[in-house]
Structure formats: structure tokens, C-alpha cells
Amino acid sequence: MKYGFVMAYGDARDAAELAVLAEAHGWDGFFVWESIWGIDAWVMLGAAAMTTERIRLGTMLTPLPRRKPWDVAGQVSTVDNLSNGRVILSVGLGVTGEQRFWLFEDDPGRKVRAELMDESLAMLPHLWRDEPFEFNGKHFRASVPAELTPPAPPPAVQQPRVPTWVVGGWPAPKSMRRAALQDGWLPNVVGGAELTPELLAQGVEWIATERRTHGLTMDDYDVVAEGTTRADDPKAADTVRAWADAGATWWMDADWSSLERDVTRPAAERRLKAGPPRID
């Protein structure tokens, strides 16, 4: 089991400083969330890359259908090179039905966002290799010549792609298959039901079966469980153990109770200094 921490709110300076604490106190990853209009997640991760050497850095998460895949590819490969190959990209369809997430554009609907997601996921590995390629999709196209001026961004350190975690809604087969064929599952439950370890275990079994049909194993495949543990809770590991037993490979500690910086910064420091809720 690996342990990540999600910074609920802060700027690039907070990310640079808190990531140092995460690394010093035994955490395996430091994550930020990507806003529609707000502090740039990839600037924050770039700052964190400059102050750390070991921990993974990523988003929780990037609403990929709302982004141009070539823009995302450039940001990700830039930070992957800066960090010497420590980036994880987490993606989802984006929140629907809440006006605060659609301030500047209309929601094209889940079907269209799913199409955009699939095309973006198909393009990203090509965009991370700095090689000429062609792509013809319903929403995106590419005809990249061998000689490009100005040049494309350097290839990502991690090949054939930066590890990509995808939201999959259990038990929807198409949504789950999208996650199964990438590098990790960010669990959700169709209909808004609460995720439980039992449902997670069912999803993990489904993914393992699906991957086998494509000649893939579960080796190095990640399953991410998210929750909140307190810095002063001596039984925090008990919360995590049930998820690990169900098949989770990452525990993501995230406290969304406040987005006020004067609250989140000291709370993050306390939680990080207490160390991850290790089960071993």
C-alpha cells in the first residue's frame, strides 16, 4: 500500500513547502486538484518537483474532456521531466449538474464528454513521445510532421505513457473498461451510492478479468481509495486496512471540510507531520 496526501487548498508556494513535509514524513505522493478557474495545478506540481526528490506528484483530478489533450500533454511532460519521472495523471469526465463547474461554457453532456475523454486518452501517449503521428477522431485530429517548428515538448521520462488513473463508475462496463485499460482505477459508484470496501473488491475483480481478456495483468496496476484520517487518531490504520484488503494499492488522505487557507495550511502540516496511516 502506498500513501498519498491531497492538498485541499493552497498556492504554488504552499505546494512546494507541504510536499517537502510529505516527503520527509514518509508519504509516497503529493497531489493537488485542478480547478476550472483558479491556481494552476501544474505550476503547483512544478514547484513541488523542485523541492522534492522521491515522492510522486499528481492531480486529483484533471477533468480531461474540458482540456485540449496537447495542452495537458505539454504540462504533464514538462513536470515529468522536471521531477525525473514522478508524475501521475488522474483524469475524470468532470462534474455534471453543478453550475459552479460550468461558469464559462455549457455542459455538452456526459456522452460527448466521454467521447472527448476516450479520444484524449488515445492521443496522450503519442503526444508524450515527440514523434510524428496522425489521429482522426470525431472531436480531435492530428497530423504532426517529422519536422516541427517550434519543436514539440521533450518526451515524458515515463514511457510508453505517464501513469494514468481514470475514474470508473462501478458497475457500468464502458466506464470501468476505460479505467481497466489504463494504469489505475479511481473508484466511483453509478447512481451516487457510497463506495464501500465490498463494492471496491467487486470492481477490482471485474478489472482483473477485463485486463486478462486484453493480455494484461494487475502487476503495477493501481486502485485508489480516498478518505480522511486524523493526525491524532491511533486507529487510523484500521480505516485503511479494510480498503487494502479489498484490493486498494493507494490510500489517498484528503480532508475537504474547509477550503480556507488559514484552516487548510495548518491542518495539512499537522496531518503530514503525523505520517501516513500505515497498515504494516
Side-chain angles (χ1 to χ4, degrees), residues 261-272:
R261 186 177 182 275
D262 59 350
V263 174
T264 58
R265 175 63 192 249
E269 291 182 3
R270 287 193 301 271
R271 186 66 199 89
L272 288 169

Side-chain angles (χ1 to χ4, degrees), residues 66 93-103 105-110 113:
R66 305 189 67 167
L93 291 181
V95 178
T96 187
E98 293 190 40
Q99 185 178 0
R100 63 194 176 102
F101 291 104
W102 296 97
L103 298 173
E105 57 187 321
D106 294 330
D107 181 357
R110 178 174 289 275
R113 284 187 280 117

Side-chain angles (χ1 to χ4, degrees), residues 81-95:
N81 277 278
L82 187 63
S83 66
N84 195 28
R86 293 187 281 128
V87 169
I88 294 171
L89 175 64
S90 301
V91 299
L93 291 181
V95 178

